[in-house]
Amino acid sequence: MTRWIDRFLDPITMYRLVLYYLVAMLAAAFMLGFFKIVPHDPTAIAFSAVLITAVCWISNEIFARVFKVPANSESIYITALILMLILNPVTAADAKGVGVLIAASVWAMASKYIFAVRGQHLFNPAAVAVALTALLLDHPASWWVGGNLPLLPVVLIGGLLVVRKLRRFDLVAVFMLTAVATSLATAAPADYGMVLSEALKSSPILFFAFVMLTEPLTAPTRPLPRLVFAALVGFLFAPNVHIGSFYFTPELALLVGNLFAYAAGPRGRFVLTLERIERSAADSYDFIFRSPRRLAFQAGQYLEWTLGLDHPDNRGNRRYFTVASAPGESSVRLGVKFYRQSSAFKRALALMSPGDTIHAAQVAGNFTLPADPRAKLAFIAGGIGITPFRSMLRELIDRDEARSITVLYGVGQPDHIAYRDVLDEAQARLGISTVYAVARGAEPGQYPGRIDEQLIREAIPDYRERIFYISGSQAMVQSVRKALIGMGIHRMRIKTDFFPGLA
Ligand SMILES: Cc1cc2nc3c(=O)[nH]c(=O)nc-3n(C[C@H](O)[C@H](O)[C@H](O)COP(=O)(O)OP(=O)(O)OC[C@H]3O[C@@H](n4cnc5c(N)ncnc54)[C@H](O)[C@@H]3O)c2cc1C
């Protein structure tokens, strides 16, 4: 079942999926409104949707130009849709209501640029907007999407798909458990039943958890801070939590959490300048960038890369890519494979010339070397999945640190092999050998075929003692992982690289 779901989710980028989810909720509310199944007037929903979208789009366009930042159209629409779903819809006749929606839309967009440190915003834009409308205009969010039982199936099914795509079940589960446990702890035992049914049926808890808590740029990326963030927001989210006479609202709980997320791992956006492009294999190129300041990351981690595209396709203008360079290298290297029909993002990347810039943010990922240098490892790469291993091996060479590692590298044909220089140097200087599995036209010394159980047994006789790292296409990662589990390797000893959005 999960495999089927992943296959469905794979071609959809993370931002696109959230966008579809929010549109589905709004469309469902609109249709149910016609039949009076939800209390909101469909004309008001339609009017508010057009108004919020237009104001968000125009104000973001202005801020993006003033701050000279490539605008992400998907982000604008996501924030706009969230505002539509949590602020009561209004009609054109309601002048005050129209003013509130305009102010909220402008404030959401402004917050991304004004409350930003090193080019990265601190707070969830939609949460800032509704906190301000409550404070300054006495018009709090109604969170109407959460209080409508008929919308629950759409909220739940779409939300679970989003959480699966993001791999953030830990975040959502800890938040919900803490919020519900705190609500119960602050209620009288006789009210427990009511508290539980309120939480699930008529509070925004699910919508908030699936869409707002998961916002990638304002939540911690490392597992432990992420769980603390979830627990903190969950605790403050519970309705009876207060400091003196001050009661938290969902948006205030989230803003406090955003501050914690920043303190737990200050991040920033980098504007990287292209120095040169190198061909790494027949179908792959390395883009080598200069960074204005040192990029702190661990070998094997990835970045979110954003390009200003005039005509983005339906995959948007940002991608997650591993940093192929090592932390000690002076430049930042992005290794990319090109296909016959490349996306608009990759076409724009291919057209970059030295001096052009790209925006990178959000270093993340735990596909990194274990802290214990004595741990015996096996790296299994498929195609361009070699990039995190290039980073790790370059790092070990730079530190002159020999570790017990065997590399299996699978490619379609011999000229698809990338980073032979680093792999050869790792062999010569650290004794880390690489076995090449070549599906078509294998040369002497190469294993003819794909990486399979037979090759693993032959090349890594002590495979039971090793921790396996697998990086490559989803299909390759799953087939190797299955083979390893079949050979008796415990799941805990297999690490796979995961990209939140398909590259
Ligand atoms: C799972 C998921 C959940 C989401 N949940 C939410 C949500 O709850 N609420 C919401 O509002 N949106 C949400 N979004 C949408 C989107 O991710 C957010 O709006 C996001 O915060 C916008 O980030 P961005 O980098 O795309 O910003 P853009 O729209 O591209 O804005 C420009 C970026 O430039 C930065 N910047 C500012 N000043 C400078 C400068 N001087 N130099 C360089 N850069 C600068 C800004 O901080 C901002 O990050 C969600 C998206 C996903 C995928």
Side-chain angles (χ1 to χ4, degrees):
M1 176 78 171
T2 47
R3 197 179 284 185
W4 185 84
I5 293 172
D6 287 341
R7 220 174 296 146
F8 165 70
L9 293 177
D10 271 350
I12 312 173
T13 64
M14 172 175 74
Y15 287 90
R16 219 12 95 108
L17 181 66
V18 174
L19 198 60
Y20 292 156
Y21 172 43
L22 294 169
V23 168
M25 277 186 281
L26 195 75
F30 181 79
M31 309 236 264
L32 294 173
F34 267 117
F35 301 104
K36 308 252 177 295
I37 298 175
V38 299
H40 295 288
D41 169 17
T43 331
I45 295 180
F47 173 76
S48 306
V50 173
L51 178 70
I52 293 176
T53 309
V55 179
C56 282
W57 192 84
I58 294 169
S59 43
N60 191 71
E61 199 64 14
I62 295 171
F63 285 113
R65 275 169 205 232
V66 171
F67 287 84
K68 298 193 177 66
V69 171
N72 287 312
S73 47
E74 285 165 330
S75 294
I76 305 167
Y77 299 130
I78 292 175
T79 306
L81 280 155
I82 293 173
L83 292 178
M84 291 169 210
L85 292 164
I86 64 176
L87 283 166
N88 268 342
V90 301
T91 58
D94 175 1
K96 183 171 183 242
V98 169
V100 168
L101 297 194
I102 293 177
S105 306
V106 175
W107 288 336
M109 295 301 124
S111 78
K112 289 197 285 188
Y113 302 88
I114 292 166
F115 300 128
V117 178
R118 288 184 165 174
Q120 189 163 333
H121 55 278
L122 292 183
F123 298 113
N124 184 302
V128 171
V130 295
L132 288 176
T133 59
L135 197 71
L136 303 179
L137 305 178
D138 195 20
H139 195 108
S142 65
W143 299 92
W144 63 271
V145 65
N148 269 302
L149 203 52
L151 287 176
L152 189 61
V154 190
V155 175
L156 198 60
I157 295 169
L160 290 172
L161 290 179
V162 168
V163 179
R164 173 68 196 167
K165 175 84 188 171
L166 292 167
R167 308 292 202 269
R168 287 290 181 267
F169 278 108
D170 57 347
L171 175 73
V172 169
V174 170
F175 162 76
M176 302 250 276
L177 287 175
T178 315
V180 172
T182 312
S183 303
L184 291 176
T186 51
D191 295 336
Y192 282 179
M194 192 188 71
V195 168
L196 285 176
S197 104
E198 286 268 301
L200 291 173
K201 285 203 260 169
S202 54
S203 96
I205 191 166
L206 292 172
F207 176 82
F208 180 90
F210 294 146
V211 180
M212 301 193 63
L213 196 72
T214 51
E215 203 266 311
L217 293 173
T218 50
T221 49
R222 283 180 299 132
L224 188 61
R226 188 160 70 224
L227 298 186
V228 178
F229 164 78
L232 173 67
V233 179
F235 175 72
L236 298 176
F237 183 95
N240 291 332
V241 172
H242 57 99
I243 300 173
S245 60
F246 179 83
Y247 281 78
F248 285 89
T249 54
E251 60 272 22
L252 289 176
L254 187 54
L255 296 179
V256 173
N258 293 157
L259 274 181
F260 166 79
Y262 179 73
R267 285 161 288 155
R269 183 175 289 255
F270 291 77
V271 182
L272 306 176
T273 309
L274 184 67
E275 274 178 359
R276 60 184 196 283
I277 301 175
E278 279 176 8
R279 190 172 195 162
S280 59
D283 53 356
S284 307
Y285 289 84
D286 273 11
F287 294 77
I288 297 153
F289 296 95
R290 195 173 55 245
S291 174
R293 57 182 200 278
R294 215 182 75 76
L295 177 68
F297 71 103
Q298 291 175 50
Q301 288 192 303
Y302 58 81
L303 273 172
E304 186 189 71
W305 305 75
T306 306
L307 266 178
L309 303 184
D310 290 335
H311 304 289
D313 57 13
N314 64 2
R315 311 253 331 264
N317 66 334
R318 57 180 142 194
R319 291 287 188 284
Y320 288 92
F321 287 118
T322 306
V323 184
S325 43
E329 285 183 275
S330 56
S331 42
V332 179
R333 184 180 288 260
L334 168 62
V336 183
K337 176 171 171 159
F338 287 87
Y339 300 89
R340 213 164 291 151
Q341 289 215 309
S342 283
S343 61
F345 183 95
K346 285 195 182 168
R347 284 200 301 275
L349 197 62
L351 289 176
M352 284 183 82
S353 3
D356 289 349
T357 56
I358 190 166
H359 287 234
Q362 258 203 305
V363 168
N366 49 14
F367 195 73
T368 51
L369 286 166
D372 180 1
R374 289 163 308 172
K376 293 171 104 183
L377 311 176
F379 289 172
I380 302 194
I384 197 64
I386 191 72
T387 48
F389 300 131
R390 185 215 176 265
S391 176
M392 294 182 206
L393 293 173
R394 183 75 259 165
E395 160 104 319
L396 293 175
I397 296 167
D398 291 348
R399 294 203 308 229
D400 203 18
E401 183 183 324
R403 289 198 186 196
S404 174
I405 302 175
T406 302
V407 185
L408 302 189
Y409 181 10
V411 289
Q413 53 196 63
D415 62 358
H416 284 182
I417 294 173
Y419 308 130
R420 213 187 261 267
D421 54 341
V422 177
L423 296 166
D424 287 349
E425 202 177 336
Q427 160 90 66
R429 295 199 24 203
L430 306 177
I432 296 176
S433 61
T434 299
V435 177
Y436 298 97
V438 180
R440 293 177 304 278
E443 291 168 358
Q446 297 174 339
Y447 180 79
R450 300 187 183 279
I451 297 173
D452 54 12
E453 183 174 337
Q454 185 194 335
L455 174 62
I456 297 169
R457 284 185 192 278
E458 273 172 26
I460 316 174
D462 58 353
Y463 65 87
R464 287 186 187 280
E465 296 162 27
R466 297 197 174 251
I467 300 172
F468 283 83
Y469 283 62
I470 319 172
S471 169
S473 69
Q474 185 91 351
M476 175 267 177
V477 170
Q478 275 178 2
S479 87
V480 174
R481 186 168 179 275
K482 200 169 151 210
L484 290 172
I485 291 172
M487 291 163 70
I489 307 291
H490 195 277
R491 285 162 205 271
M492 299 288 282
R493 297 183 70 81
I494 306 174
K495 268 176 103 92
T496 56
D497 205 2
F498 160 67
F499 293 87
L502 200 79

